[in-house]
Amino acid sequence: MKALLFFSAWGTRSGSSASAWWSTKHDERVATMTEARLLVRSCGPLVSYQDGGRPGMLRFGVPASGPMDRLAHAAANIALGCPEGSTAMEISMGGLEVVCESGEVTCCVSGGDFQVRHSGALTKSWCVRTIRTGDVLSVRPGRWGSWAYLAFCGELVCEQWAGHTATHSTSGLGGGSLAPGAAVLLRNTRIAEEREGDLPVPAFAYSRKLARVVLGPQTGRFEADSAAAFLQESFAVTPACDRMGMRLSGPKLALKDALSIPSEPIVRGSIQVGGDGVASILLADHQTTGGYPKIATVLSSDLDGLSQLRPHDNLGFQAVDAMEAIRLVRAEAPLRSQFLKEIARPLGSLQNRLMRENLISGFVLA
């Protein structure tokens, strides 16, 4: 009875206002049901769907996966007004080219210094653009960086596993990899012209050629001169690098009897050394346990920039103790948060942008 009385009372509002309310709600529903369809014309290996990752499952033997460059992935989403963990396309140095077959949607490209071509117009990554039916968008590697991200004002429709679309490259679990000819569906798309333009690239978003590390946990399993060589000499990234990790060339890190240690949990950023004395840095799709000794672990705040290194790039290591590592990470976190907060603000319409600028610096008598 109460429900009926409430409905009756609600129904007594004037016909015009009720009609306007229903019209508004209908328009909102129509607006959220828009779609866009893309076709992948070409792409390299390791181009995949990635959301923010699948944390908390290491005890089940499942790595978090997610983006190789977590800052760039978050920035691409936030610049569009989307949650930072939303699904985006992760693009390797093999590049990606898509054509918009129907609909329209605003998108953002971030990550390394990649070349972005939008229907003939060439620009760089860290930009927001709108693609419409017939438009071609290509993302190719530029001067530096190994990974780029393509995010959309809309929902990328792809598979989920364990509640996330993050793709585990070796098993294929998650949203999956993209290949030429793949169809891409976006739901609830929208145009955000007030967000179009170029984004600033902060210094901490660049590739990082000096990584800070905490030594251990098996530093004592190495010969005495190995730790010194690890910190004093230079390494280079080899072509043997992917989402699981990167193998380094450089000084051999001689071991004692460390290969006899039992397997134990490992984390993203662990630097393990095989029996041949070669170091490898474990990254997003790392295995969850391992029996190789680990000479050090990279600070989490340095991993995004380190992941952007290309084969043959040089890399050095600087040791800090555990307490200093915590202080550094905490000190740098607000800088990243402030940057994301700044790019979350829309630039505004063209009219508003012009009104904010002082377009007249003086006058002359003519």
Side-chain angles (χ1 to χ4, degrees), residues 46-341:
L46 297 177
V47 177
S48 62
Y49 293 109
Q50 297 290 341
D51 65 8
R54 191 178 290 104
M57 300 190 70
L58 283 178
R59 64 188 184 277
F60 302 121
V62 179
S65 295
M68 291 284 281
D69 186 338
R70 292 166 289 190
L71 173 69
H73 180 276
N77 281 306
I78 287 177
L80 298 174
C82 301
E84 65 178 82
S86 300
T87 303
M89 294 179 181
E90 182 176 77
I91 304 168
S92 68
M93 287 183 62
L96 172 72
E97 182 175 280
V98 297
V99 58
C100 182
E101 294 194 314
S102 65
E104 54 185 7
V105 63
T106 299
C107 61
C108 178
V109 181
S110 68
D113 177 55
F114 278 59
Q115 302 256 339
V116 179
R117 188 176 293 275
H118 175 208
S119 292
L122 185 64
T123 186
K124 293 184 177 181
S125 53
W126 294 89
C127 64
V128 177
R129 299 290 187 268
T130 295
I131 56 175
R132 296 179 168 84
T133 302
D135 284 0
V136 176
L137 181 74
S138 68
V139 182
R140 306 290 183 193
R143 295 174 302 166
W144 62 269
S146 289
W147 305 96
Y149 297 89
L150 176 58
F152 299 91
C153 280
E155 176 191 352
L156 278 165
V157 179
C158 59
E159 295 291 330
Q160 290 193 6
W161 186 76
H164 291 271
T165 61
T167 302
H168 181 247
S169 57
T170 53
S171 69
L173 294 173
S177 298
L178 292 160
V184 178
L185 174 61
L186 287 148
R187 289 180 179 155
N188 301 328
T189 57
R190 54 192 175 86
I191 303 301
E193 292 181 346
E194 73 281 2
R195 295 183 177 273
E196 290 185 23
D198 297 330
L199 301 174
V201 187
F204 49 76
Y206 285 80
S207 56
R208 189 177 190 98
K209 296 187 178 182
L210 178 65
R212 296 164 297 181
V213 300
V214 175
L215 294 176
Q218 282 97 29
T219 311
R221 298 274 188 164
F222 292 83
E223 297 291 350
D225 59 349
S226 291
F230 174 71
L231 295 174
Q232 294 172 6
E233 299 191 37
S234 179
F235 293 81
V237 180
T238 71
C241 56
D242 56 20
R243 283 184 48 84
M244 285 192 67
M246 58 173 61
R247 187 174 171 91
L248 305 178
S249 65
K252 300 298 182 183
L253 305 177
L255 306 166
K256 295 178 181 177
D257 60 347
L259 290 180
S260 63
I261 67 174
S263 292
E264 63 180 11
I266 51 180
V267 298
R268 186 171 181 162
S270 292
I271 305 176
Q272 67 178 20
V273 180
D276 55 1
V278 175
S280 298
I281 306 175
L282 304 183
L283 298 173
D285 286 345
H286 66 86
Q287 67 273 29
T288 56
T289 62
Y292 287 118
K294 293 163 287 295
I295 194 169
T297 303
V298 179
L299 271 62
S300 59
S301 55
D302 290 2
L303 282 172
D304 291 338
L306 185 147
S307 297
Q308 289 289 3
L309 292 176
R310 291 180 173 179
H312 310 298
D313 280 349
N314 292 326
L315 173 63
F317 298 102
Q318 177 186 359
V320 298
D321 63 35
M323 293 306 298
E324 176 67 2
I326 293 172
R327 188 195 69 78
L328 288 169
V329 171
R330 288 178 174 173
E332 293 171 11
L335 299 177
R336 287 165 167 75
S337 297
Q338 181 60 33
F339 166 67
L340 295 176
K341 185 182 296 185

